[in-house]
Amino acid sequence: MENYRLFLSAFCAAAITGSLSIIFVLIWVLHYREGLAWDGGSAEFNWHPVLMVAGLIFLQGTAIIIFRLPWTWACNKQVMKWIHACLHLLAFTLTVISTVAVFDFHNTAKIPNMYSLHSWLGIAAVILYCLQIVVGVVLYLIPITPVSWRAAFMPVHVFFGTLLFVGIISVALMGITEKLIFALKSPKYSQSPPEALFVNVLGVLLVAFGAIVVYTVTRVSWKRPNDQVLHSLHTDEVGEDNGKVGPKKTTTQDSEMRGNI
Ligand code: HEM
Ligand code: HEM
């Protein structure tokens, strides 16, 4: 691997900022807020930030960089795809529970649903994330999909996956700011009480985690060795996989490549 030291530093920084984000959100709800419960009250709402940070941010980020870990390159690509897909599915499950928690809290407290920009962009992100999983499973896990379809769709999958990840971090930052403005009354958010400073740091950690993950997945030289070859085939040559989208006759080479894409 090129520049292994830099990769290792990025990996450690992602692991540290990601784990700290989960620790910070837990300290926020358990120490500064009402704790966690499933009772329709504020403690139920608190599942929302905890599960979003742990699932949609930490697990999604882990799923995204899983192909880049050099220790996994000896593993079969098919196994890695299952791990990538299962991590996304687990993240999605936590997201659903987190969304139910906030709707249930709103309904019990008779607070209107879906009025804020945070909630609009949040629900759009959840729906698009679900769509990305469905398309990902159909294209890359079901063994009958033609190789040309898989290859043609891969840049779209990577682009939308990265866009969703960045978008979701922005949505979380909006949610955090909103919650601090709603919850801090005396002293107010603008008076910078310890909780406000602590949670601002959580926001900074989320941005740092996101930046490191995006940096890692956008470096072509850190791809799995086989994928680097495929990448140059798709970018240097006007390969037929890039241009033609549609089923084609399956050859032995196709079925060998299917496991790799
Ligand atoms: C509400 C999504 C993270 C705070 C909502 C709602 C959705 C949503 C769909 C609307 C629920 C309803 O109208 O009943 C998301 C997504 C996140 C995220 C996709 C991804 C990371 C966070 C975080 C916080 C937060 C980290 C921090 C506390 C809030 C608050 C509400 C809310 C205060 C209620 C007010 C409102 O509807 O805007 N969220 N959320 N969210 N969320 Fe988030
Ligand atoms: C690669 C995101 C679901 C299969 C990627 C990459 C991203 C991404 C950002 C680029 C990673 C890299 O270049 O190292 C997502 C998101 C998903 C999702 C956000 C869910 C919402 C799935 C599912 C599958 C899948 C369900 C089914 C197996 C793949 C494959 C790659 C990939 C095969 C290729 C990795 C490579 O060869 O470089 N995904 N993905 N993805 N994803 Fe997904």
Side-chain angles (χ1 to χ4, degrees), residues 28 45 48 52 102-103 106 113-116 118-119 172 175 178:
W28 182 21
F45 167 84
H48 179 64
M52 285 301 188
V102 66
F103 272 92
H106 273 187
N113 289 311
M114 301 304 303
Y115 64 88
S116 66
H118 166 75
S119 63
E178 228 182 51

Side-chain angles (χ1 to χ4, degrees), residues 60 68 77 81 84 88 129 132 136 141 154 157 227:
Q60 185 187 183
R68 302 295 174 126
K77 181 73 183 271
K81 283 199 237 170
H84 178 75
H88 280 302
Y129 190 69
Q132 172 94 343
L141 278 190
M154 184 46 78
H157 179 81
D227 299 342

